[in-house]
Amino acid sequence: MNPEKLFRQLFEAGTEQDVEEIIFANQDIFNDDSWHPLGKNQSNYSIVKNQQANPIAALIEKLTNSIDAILTKKCLEAGIDPKSAEAPRSINEAVQKFFGDDSTTWDMDSFRKKQAKEIQIVADGTPRNTSVIIYDNGEGQHPYKFEDTFLSLISGNKKNIHFVQGKYNMGGSGALVFCGKKRYQLIASKKYDGTGEFGFTLVREHPLSKDEQYDNKETWYEYLMIDGQIPRFQIDELDLKLFDRKFKTGSIIKLYSYQFPAGYAGFAQDLNQSINEYLFRPALPVYTIDNADRYPNNKILELDLFGLQRRLEQPNNNYVESISSWDSSNELFGKCKIKAYVFKAKLQKRNAKESKDVIRKRFFKNDMSVLFSLNGQVHGHFTSEFITRSLKLNLLKSHLLIHVDCTEMNYDFRKELFMASRDRLKDGEETKALRRFLATELSKKDSPLSEIEKLRKDSITADAGNTKELLKSFTKNLPMDSELMKLLNQTFKLDLATDKKPKNHNQPKKKKESKEEKHPFNPQRFPTHFNMKAASNNGVKAINIPRGTEKTIQFDTDVENTYFDRIEEPGEMKIALINYKPDDTKGGTDKGEPKAVEELFNINKSSPKDGKLRISLNPKAEVRVGDEIEMKVTLTAPGEDLEELFWTKITEPEAKKETVNKKEEGEPLGLPEFVLVYKEEKGDQNVITWDRLEAQTIEMNYDTVMYPLGKGDSELERIYINMDSNVFKSFMSKTKHPNEQQIKMAENKYISSVYFHTLFLYTITKNRGYQISKVLENKPNPDPVDVADYLKDVFDHFYSTFILNFGGMEEMMIGVGD
């Protein structure tokens, strides 16, 4: 069989079973002498196996290599050696240098699709046995170079090229372990300039013979050579199932019978969304292609993608409620940029549950709530557990996405964050330190996220039930030293005192603080003013910062909140060092003259929020008391930037204030209040309705009995009790024509039963240290579940019916009726 015929047979094979048949029918070609170990190392199994743990993350490495190949091709076409000093020093610089103004047009549909055809990921096989074709119109390779590029491991052939993501040829091998059971992968390529021949090879996991199995020999990965060389033949072009083009040069890889996660269907939907998540901001757009033979009823078979960031920040986004950002410069890690996207609680024409399901499917397909990226590719993540446990933003746990750009972090810190496979975070000190930093910064009281959480909570606050009276009634005949009360007191700080101190009417009343009148904020596309809020002395603004503390400086402006984060014409806030006067009176070793503010301070800059801009400054250890620093803060604007100059003096550390009755970490909490919820309004009463809860992401309907709202994963703040639940209506229906006393008794029974059972189940679960998880359809591993969500689900499914109907209540109702 000539090489061209062999390649066509292999490429047309839809699944690994088809490849098996070709090998079996051509034993003279696929003999033992034709296979050679990948990376010229027969001990390569552990290298390949210990790559990405997720099949989607493994595919991302293939696409990253394709982006590298196109940028390298552009560099070579420009007559620049990719490893030379003239070559770009970063991926962003390469895009600007080689694509220039063209890259600015990719936000427009037609231009983006044209560029996306250069990198395609194409579906083959059947819906139940899918193979993947990955094509790029990149650098390509001559057949004699295959062993040094596609087929090498840890060779570092790209380590001196600064504008590529891959360096050591390892990541691309990670997809092999997800290629069916036999691990077949077809690789083919032709050099970008049209020189040389079209080469191809087949990679597989070596099938151990009986003798090798008997010797407990570990298998390895190997590739095909015929007569001692990579198979090759001449081409002008080939029809290789690509979208809107024939193959001429570049590279094409086929992964047979790829093991996608359960529930994945069309490439233009499910896979497209996942790639968008992992390639949060790719350098180049990509096309995902399916075919009508696989899904004849699917109207969308081709769909381009350009990263999740652009989907989130496109104008008139129907999903995102707000975007906030922080620029941080810190001695812990160097520099990073953080962006937080808060999604709407209810989408148009959808209820809360439908909205949540749509948002999770389209933007959280891989359960990644906090994304850590390098050059636009996600290298690790936290789940929504971080939102509740660390940020304590329970109402936002399913509606908040945070992106942390780690590209400019210090190398020594960054390399300790990520595994070599680039798909998950290390469980090390650096990861824990970064987690603590994010938790502290994003959960500050004046943080936009904290403000959104507070607004949402306030909107579902009404006159709460008299929790203390309910507890007193419950404990009327229950001594405080009982086991039940001891259990409650382990979690909640109970105050059952009945005697209240008499009010001192002679005590002077505190003057009410006059609140500053708020004017409606009228946002502008570009700022027209920029003013620092600080005391001025002879026209010079100055602030004091006690050493060891953080000082937040506020600026007034009129620019819109998305100014730093919008795609078109974004602005920036810069801070620069103008003058540095060290305090030389206290002696000490000489300090070098700093050149940037970042050498003196840890700095956090936040995006605009309704006309307010904030910069937080925290002096570093080298700064001495008495040092004076002059700084300039610039807000960029068309025509002329806006500037503010000010001086900062480092003062003595503040004496620690003694706090009275301040709740310490781990101290028991106050008893959670209960709030009664109804389907509809009740006249002019301020009651909480289902709609009000739904507007803040809490689903409530006839099937819902209660919803426990926490703060973090250990604080229970409120229990919303549904007074129009089917459970309560069914319970009431057993008494025909109830009188007013019976109705009141039934309501009290329902409220107290739901409240106390929730309270005790929550307390026992937390005190005993249980962690709850749930097996979900189409997911291999159980998902962690919050205690609050678990209890809501338990009450919705028969538990509440049980506690109402097996407590002697029916007999009591009959007695009252008689």
Side-chain angles (χ1 to χ4, degrees), residues 290-298 301-302:
D290 218 313
N291 63 68
D293 292 336
R294 284 164 43 87
Y295 293 102
N297 297 323
N298 194 341
L301 296 173
E302 304 92 21

Side-chain angles (χ1 to χ4, degrees), residues 125-403:
T126 69
R128 292 182 177 273
N129 197 344
T130 298
S131 295
V132 182
I133 299 168
I134 300 173
Y135 156 79
D136 68 70
N137 189 19
E139 175 189 9
Q141 298 294 334
H142 290 300
Y144 67 86
K145 291 289 290 183
F146 272 36
E147 291 182 280
D148 298 324
T149 53
F150 298 120
L151 305 173
S152 64
L153 291 172
I154 325 179
S155 66
N157 61 302
K158 295 192 290 183
K159 66 181 180 181
N160 293 321
I161 303 177
H162 297 283
F163 59 85
V164 297
Q165 187 85 299
K167 300 291 184 182
Y168 295 98
N169 281 24
M170 289 173 59
S173 65
L176 276 170
V177 299
F178 300 106
C179 293
K181 303 298 182 184
K182 307 294 183 180
R183 321 303 191 212
Y184 288 120
Q185 175 181 267
L186 180 67
I187 302 173
S189 186
K190 184 177 180 180
K191 195 69 174 175
Y192 76 96
D193 57 6
T195 61
E197 296 174 294
F198 176 87
F200 71 94
T201 187
L202 184 68
V203 181
R204 71 174 184 180
E205 181 182 304
H206 173 76
L208 292 175
S209 67
K210 288 185 178 180
D211 290 340
E212 289 169 333
Q213 293 178 32
Y214 182 79
D215 293 337
N216 291 322
K217 193 169 185 178
E218 188 178 70
T219 189
W220 61 89
Y221 289 90
E222 56 191 16
Y223 60 91
L224 176 71
M225 296 182 76
I226 300 177
D227 297 330
Q229 64 178 7
I230 295 295
R232 64 195 70 186
F233 57 94
Q234 287 288 349
I235 68 163
D236 291 323
E237 63 180 27
L238 291 171
D239 186 356
L240 298 182
K241 302 183 181 181
L242 302 177
F243 174 59
D244 199 32
R245 68 173 49 190
K246 300 286 182 66
F247 180 93
K248 294 181 179 179
T249 63
S251 300
I252 194 157
I253 295 171
K254 187 165 186 177
L255 311 169
Y256 296 93
S257 299
Y258 202 73
Q259 300 174 25
F260 283 100
Y264 270 68
F267 274 32
Q269 287 85 27
D270 290 334
L271 183 59
N272 187 287
Q273 290 165 9
S274 274
I275 295 174
N276 264 313
E277 286 183 48
Y278 278 98
L279 289 180
F280 188 79
R281 188 184 176 92
L284 303 172
V286 177
Y287 241 124
T288 52
I289 316 292
D290 218 313
N291 63 68
D293 292 336
R294 284 164 43 87
Y295 293 102
N297 297 323
N298 194 341
K299 295 180 180 179
I300 302 176
L301 296 173
E302 304 92 21
L303 194 63
D304 63 280
L305 65 89
F306 201 15
L308 190 56
Q309 179 175 352
R310 287 175 173 85
R311 287 182 62 204
L312 293 168
E313 296 178 11
Q314 63 186 354
N316 304 317
N317 187 296
N318 295 321
Y319 300 94
V320 177
E321 177 183 305
S322 69
I323 303 174
S324 306
S325 65
W326 295 259
D327 273 310
S328 295
S329 174
N330 192 287
E331 58 191 334
L332 171 68
F333 50 74
K335 292 183 179 181
C336 79
K337 180 157 187 174
I338 307 158
K339 275 193 181 182
Y341 304 86
V342 177
F343 292 87
K344 296 175 182 178
K346 284 183 70 176
L347 304 177
Q348 194 173 13
K349 297 181 181 180
R350 289 186 170 96
N351 61 30
K353 183 180 185 306
E354 292 169 343
S355 299
K356 174 185 170 183
D357 290 346
V358 168
I359 289 169
R360 298 304 297 182
K361 181 179 179 181
R362 296 187 180 182
F363 300 98
F364 298 88
K365 194 169 185 66
N366 296 281
D367 295 324
M368 301 190 296
S369 292
V370 185
L371 311 176
F372 298 88
S373 77
L374 183 63
N375 292 317
Q377 179 186 351
V378 173
H379 281 44
H381 71 278
F382 295 150
T383 64
S384 59
E385 165 270 339
F386 177 81
I387 309 298
T388 52
R389 182 170 296 178
S390 296
L391 298 184
K392 301 186 185 300
L393 303 174
N394 292 45
L395 287 176
L396 299 181
K397 67 180 177 183
S398 299
H399 294 73
L400 174 61
L401 180 72
I402 299 169
H403 173 242

Side-chain angles (χ1 to χ4, degrees), residues 696-711:
Q696 305 308 333
T697 75
I698 298 176
E699 178 195 355
M700 192 158 284
N701 52 45
Y702 287 116
D703 295 326
T704 309
V705 175
M706 64 85 190
Y707 185 89
L709 179 63
K711 182 180 180 182

Side-chain angles (χ1 to χ4, degrees), residues 533-549:
K533 295 187 73 173
S536 178
N537 185 9
N538 295 325
V540 177
K541 293 181 178 179
I543 59 170
N544 293 330
I545 302 181
R547 194 172 183 278
T549 63

Side-chain angles (χ1 to χ4, degrees), residues 427-492:
D427 186 19
E429 287 303 316
E430 285 75 12
T431 298
K432 293 173 183 176
L434 183 57
R435 182 185 175 107
R436 288 192 296 268
F437 170 81
L438 293 173
T440 301
E441 188 62 32
L442 302 187
S443 63
K444 287 179 179 177
K445 189 175 181 181
D446 60 357
S447 161
L449 301 181
S450 298
E451 291 177 1
I452 292 172
E453 176 85 358
K454 183 178 184 303
L455 286 172
R456 291 193 174 188
K457 275 187 179 177
D458 290 347
S459 70
I460 50 175
T461 300
D463 294 332
N466 196 329
T467 306
K468 187 175 288 188
E469 290 302 318
L470 183 67
L471 185 63
K472 287 177 184 177
S473 174
F474 171 73
T475 58
K476 194 172 185 180
N477 298 309
L478 192 66
M480 279 298 293
D481 61 353
S482 72
E483 294 302 315
L484 283 177
M485 294 307 295
K486 288 179 181 178
L487 176 65
L488 274 181
N489 239 335
Q490 287 176 13
T491 303
F492 303 102

